[in-house]
Amino acid sequence: MTPGQGSVARFSASLSHLRPTPDDMAANSSLDGPVLDRALDLVRFLRARCPWDARQTPASLVPYLLEEAHEAADAIVEEDDGALPGELGDLLLNLAFQVVLAEEREAFDAATVVERLEAKMRRRHPQLYGDGPARDWEAMKAAERTAEDAGASVLHGLPRGLEPLSRAQRIQDRVAGVGFDWADVEGALAKVEEELAEVRGALAAEPSPALEEELGDLLFAVVNVARLSGAHAMRALQRANAKFTGRFEALERRAGERGLVLGQATLEELDAVWDEVKAAEAARRTAEAEPAPEAEPAPEAEPAPDGERAPERQPAPDGERAPARQPAPEGERAPARQPAPEGERAPERQPAPEGERAPERQPAAERPRAEGEGRHVD
């Protein structure tokens, strides 16, 4: 394997000449066991057979661990379920590598990792295990840090490699856990306005050595607004980046169709295309939000007159086809069949003799319809 080939699938393809022997399979009996154990066995096999994998150390794998975490996060943000299994496999491989390397140096094993995870989640969710009422997450974490080191700062232990936007939100989470926080989002919004005024002042005095510091304060205040409104600043910025990228790529396509060359077109021309892109995007969202038209109900059959029951059609004799009903002459309506008198049953139609076809019903004679005659039932 070469650096950057991170997934289990790519591992298998690049090491096809190192297929496990029957002895290997017997030694790694968990290949038929729990699925996640197979990731550990895969790493052990690679460490034993591939020179590149054998050379790796915990520190040398950190860049790949971070890279795969970002690629998995991208697939999640883009809702790419086709790519996500592979990216999670890449990430799982890197986690398995760290566990196997720890086993080799006898620091800890997979069971230790899982036991610590279970114990932590039980502490953090006392209400689920009958250990007490639910508690504030950040307050519990602060209590755990104090128990480990009574003199440790509330901010101790934040990952140094965390990107600045996420680090700002985690700092704010930590101090909020000990009560150092705005009462509501309105206080954070007022702070944004204050910092924005200071940025304006620094810009007016440019060149100002304070400008970068004031911009940092403004960004930190905006993160507080995101946190107190229930959003995550990094996620919000990711979505804004994706939205701008999609719109600008659409602008590039439209500009190309019109012969506009980026770098030579005027700002007014590009602004006009940008507005078109936004309008098309809004129209598409509106169309997607509109419910589909409901299907029209089928027309109801005309009911029979009060007190009458529609006559049942008699089946044709065996082996014969029932004659088609003849239409009434033009301008006339066929008379309705009269019901039998009360207490009597209407006589059944006699079948035609064997080998003969029942005579077809003749159309009504041409005559005016008498007033009060029975209604024809369709």
Side-chain angles (χ1 to χ4, degrees):
M1 169 187 141
T2 57
Q5 286 183 300
S7 74
V8 170
R10 290 198 292 269
F11 262 134
S12 299
S14 66
L15 299 170
S16 57
H17 62 293
L18 297 176
R19 297 295 180 198
T21 65
D23 290 340
D24 294 326
M25 297 293 286
N28 293 298
S29 58
S30 64
L31 288 174
D32 296 322
V35 172
L36 295 180
D37 285 352
R38 287 160 52 189
L40 298 172
D41 287 328
L42 176 59
V43 173
R44 294 180 187 116
F45 172 73
L46 295 171
R47 292 278 290 170
R49 299 297 190 88
C50 176
W52 187 90
D53 292 278
R55 288 197 304 270
Q56 299 313 303
T57 66
S60 72
L61 290 169
V62 167
Y64 307 117
L65 175 62
L66 295 175
E67 178 185 342
E68 301 303 349
H70 282 297
E71 290 180 3
D74 287 345
I76 293 168
V77 169
E78 293 164 10
E79 299 180 353
D80 189 348
D81 287 339
L84 186 56
E87 299 301 347
L88 291 175
D90 294 346
L91 185 56
L92 175 60
L93 181 70
N94 275 272
L95 297 176
F97 241 113
Q98 294 295 334
V99 172
V100 170
L101 291 173
E103 289 176 344
E104 291 177 359
R105 66 180 187 271
E106 299 182 353
F108 56 83
D109 58 13
T112 305
V113 174
V114 175
E115 286 164 6
R116 288 200 182 182
L117 171 62
E118 291 171 337
K120 178 186 286 186
M121 291 303 100
R122 179 162 187 153
R123 289 196 308 273
R124 302 280 176 85
H125 299 86
Q127 74 281 11
L128 302 183
Y129 293 90
D131 296 335
R135 297 176 57 198
D136 178 76
W137 187 270
E138 289 298 332
M140 284 190 290
K141 291 170 71 175
E144 289 172 6
R145 287 190 297 271
T146 301
E148 292 172 5
D149 184 352
S153 166
V154 168
L155 301 177
H156 175 73
L158 282 174
R160 289 186 295 273
L162 202 59
E163 50 86 20
L165 204 61
S166 293
R167 188 178 179 84
Q169 186 140 347
R170 291 300 296 127
I171 288 171
Q172 293 169 9
D173 284 336
R174 287 277 187 98
V175 299
V178 294
F180 191 72
D181 199 7
W182 299 102
D184 53 38
V185 71
E186 293 301 323
L189 277 171
K191 186 64 175 176
V192 167
E193 292 169 1
E194 176 189 323
E195 297 297 347
L196 182 58
E198 292 180 7
V199 167
R200 292 184 188 281
L203 285 170
E206 201 176 2
S208 169
L211 178 59
E212 186 173 288
E213 180 181 345
E214 298 300 348
L215 287 169
D217 292 345
L218 176 60
L219 290 171
F220 193 85
V222 170
V223 171
N224 246 331
V225 172
R227 178 182 62 84
L228 287 167
S229 65
H232 194 288
M234 183 190 72
R235 172 71 174 138
L237 189 57
Q238 282 177 328
R239 295 183 67 177
N241 288 341
K243 180 169 67 176
F244 183 89
T245 299
R247 286 178 177 174
F248 194 81
E249 288 172 349
L251 177 149
E252 289 176 313
R253 289 191 295 272
R254 289 183 181 236
E257 290 166 1
R258 299 175 192 185
L260 294 175
V261 179
L262 298 187
Q264 298 177 12
T266 65
L267 179 59
E268 289 74 17
E269 290 173 322
L270 295 179
D271 273 341
V273 179
W274 181 263
D275 289 340
E276 289 176 16
V277 169
K278 290 172 65 178
E281 186 181 285
R284 185 172 62 253
R285 281 200 303 266
T286 301
E288 289 171 354
E290 288 178 355
E294 292 184 9
E296 293 185 7
E300 293 184 5
E302 185 178 353
D306 289 344
E308 291 191 19
R309 185 178 180 183
E312 294 182 1
R313 184 176 296 173
Q314 299 298 319
D318 287 343
E320 293 192 18
R321 186 177 179 186
R325 182 178 295 177
Q326 300 296 321
E330 269 190 45
E332 293 198 15
R333 190 176 186 185
R337 183 179 297 170
Q338 299 299 320
E342 260 187 54
E344 292 188 22
R345 187 176 179 185
E348 294 183 0
R349 183 181 296 169
Q350 298 301 317
E354 276 188 35
E356 292 187 22
R357 188 177 180 184
E360 294 184 353
R361 183 181 294 174
Q362 298 301 316
E366 290 190 12
R367 60 178 176 78
R369 184 176 178 182
E371 188 175 347
E373 191 173 350
R375 182 188 299 171
H376 170 66
V377 180
D378 289 327

